[in-house]
Amino acid sequence: MSTVVALHAFDEAMQLEPLAQGEFRARTSPLYMNMVGPFGGVTAAQMLSAALAHEERAGTPVTATVNFLAPLQAGEFRLRVRKTRQNRSSQHWYVELLQGDDEVRSNATVMTALRRQTWQATELPVPEALRLRPARLDRLDTDMEFINRYEFSFLEGPLFPEGDPPSYESSSTVVWVRDAPSRAVDFAGILAVSDTIFPRIYLRRPDRVPIGTVSLTTYFHCDQSDLDQVGSQPMLGVARGQVFSRNFFDQSSQLWSPEGRCLATSHQIVYFKS
Amino acid sequence: MSTVVALHAFDEAMQLEPLAQGEFRARTSPLYMNMVGPFGGVTAAQMLSAALAHEERAGTPVTATVNFLAPLQAGEFRLRVRKTRQNRSSQHWYVELLQGDDEVRSNATVMTALRRQTWQATELPVPEALRLRPARLDRLDTDMEFINRYEFSFLEGPLFPEGDPPSYESSSTVVWVRDAPSRAVDFAGILAVSDTIFPRIYLRRPDRVPIGTVSLTTYFHCDQSDLDQVGSQPMLGVARGQVFSRNFFDQSSQLWSPEGRCLATSHQIVYFKS
């Protein structure tokens, strides 16, 4: 007698089939598609998952930089993980995502470490929004499938600016976010959520110019015990664009637990067509 | 008859000897040493220079992430540059720094692109300090040799906190900085300067705990014409720590031209011993 338990769509997307040491087969998830191609946050999470699945991996992620080199096609791809350095309490990883004729479509550098309790301080201002828990999170109804895998409560800087005329003065967003259905957060989940903060240029310009994230860097300020404390509660995302110039802009964001811990800080640089 | 022109110490440090396509020999500079080992900003700049020296390179850097895997010893090392992707108007690069028994001591991902004039906006607040030009920049007298290759004018958050007792409440620094002797800034120079903003933990804790940058990401918001406009003028650096937790902290900084252009934004995650 066997019991079939349905996997959460995110866990389904994170499934890796081992091919050799440090080599896995994975596939894009139809449930996490963006306008064109798969949601980069899930691609990044798959690359991080591959590094974490390496049999020699110890510790938890401290930093991950994911570069998006070329569009990923729907379907299968391979992830190749190489340990570039073994230190006493940390490891460095290089991950390549290969598709088609072994073409590198994305690459990533990841550093993992054993983390201990130390002196700590949060110098970022604690967002006002953390004083109030969200009343209700809603699924948005969009044609971006991956957006339907999350639920949100926007306090500032909504996905679709409203008003008559809409305001395009600031690119700040403050938003509660959670997987839908809810799911206990893990490192891959943190990385994916850090990319749900949509491109800031859409809050600054009414025209939806073509864009594409070039490179995403997320710093993890948490270990497993911190994630266990968050569980499946919503997290607060705070994001803002910094400089928009010569076809590229950068944006920075932070992800907070409801208890006021800054779990991750994240930065990305995004191409935009003028 | 020949004329010998002395190279600037920074340009001397950037010298690359081609060994094969995409492969160069370089060496650490005794003039840019840190407390222990070479200054990471110059190592990062050497890696960027190697990518830019690749014969197929087109365009200027948009983003560079440099990971410091293991201590670099004083002396020679090799830089191996691989083009991971050629797009229509952009290229991706992977750089490894090898020393000793071909051990990878640092690696980097770099993206270069042809940049055009587009809609632009700076959402970061323009620092107050940009209203006043610095009266005088000074060399500091420290035992960190690389610090002597720059001159500074600190408006906030000095290298060595003063007062009785010194304040360790904030890790903000606002500082004018320039090569000493002065030098027309280039992309490698921007990357090096983005790492002169010393570890924020030294503004928060009186004890000088051992630290080490793990990963540095700099986004370039400038092309060559912007750098030509800066020339050898001082630039304004603004930096702050974000989260200090479990042996690591991150810090973010911006580099401004005296005319008020944000030339680069930079982020790094740093190990600290508790």
Side-chain angles (χ1 to χ4, degrees), chain B residues 87-145:
Chain B
N87 289 319
R88 200 162 50 85
S89 58
S90 69
Q91 297 170 320
H92 286 264
W93 305 95
Y94 179 62
V95 185
E96 286 183 321
L97 187 161
L98 306 150
Q99 201 180 37
D101 195 16
D102 266 3
E103 213 183 322
V104 183
R105 300 279 169 102
S106 290
N107 64 8
T109 55
V110 174
M111 189 267 207
T112 53
L114 302 170
R115 304 186 75 160
R116 289 167 305 118
Q117 199 64 260
T118 60
W119 172 79
Q120 59 181 10
T122 301
E123 197 153 332
L124 287 168
V126 176
E128 286 286 319
L130 278 176
R131 293 195 198 162
L132 296 168
R133 296 292 292 277
R136 203 185 68 181
L137 280 74
D138 294 306
R139 295 199 202 196
L140 304 178
D141 186 22
T142 83
D143 49 359
M144 288 168 282
E145 193 57 31

Side-chain angles (χ1 to χ4, degrees), chain A residues 136-153:
Chain A
R136 202 185 70 181
L137 280 75
D138 293 306
R139 298 199 198 194
L140 304 178
D141 186 23
T142 85
D143 49 0
M144 288 168 282
E145 192 59 29
F146 85 94
I147 290 285
N148 304 326
R149 300 286 85 69
Y150 293 96
E151 52 185 17
F152 303 93
S153 174

Side-chain angles (χ1 to χ4, degrees), chain B residues 14-18 20-24 45-59 79 81 93 95 110 112:
Chain B
M14 292 304 119
Q15 294 289 297
L16 301 169
E17 179 191 337
Q21 198 195 9
E23 206 165 319
F24 307 91
Q46 288 170 313
M47 298 180 79
L48 176 62
S49 293
L52 298 182
H54 193 287
E55 58 192 43
E56 291 171 12
R57 191 262 307 179
L79 292 165
V81 182
W93 305 95
V95 185
V110 174
T112 53

Side-chain angles (χ1 to χ4, degrees), chain A residues 25-30 32-40 42-43 46 68-79 97-106, chain B residues 85 87:
Chain A
R25 184 181 289 130
R27 51 195 61 74
T28 61
S29 165
Y32 284 96
M33 295 304 278
N34 203 335
M35 295 287 272
V36 181
F39 166 50
V42 159
T43 306
Q46 288 171 312
F68 299 94
L69 279 55
L72 185 57
Q73 306 302 319
E76 287 191 350
F77 55 86
R78 282 191 310 127
L79 292 165
L97 186 160
L98 307 150
Q99 201 181 36
D101 194 16
D102 266 1
E103 214 183 320
V104 182
R105 302 279 168 101
S106 290
Chain B
R85 182 76 193 184
N87 289 319

Side-chain angles (χ1 to χ4, degrees), chain A residues 85 103 123 171 250 265, chain B residues 85 103 123 171 242 250 265:
Chain A
R85 181 76 191 182
E103 214 183 320
E123 198 153 330
S171 77
D250 67 334
T265 49
Chain B
R85 182 76 193 184
E103 213 183 322
E123 197 153 332
S171 77
Q242 299 207 124
D250 66 335
T265 48

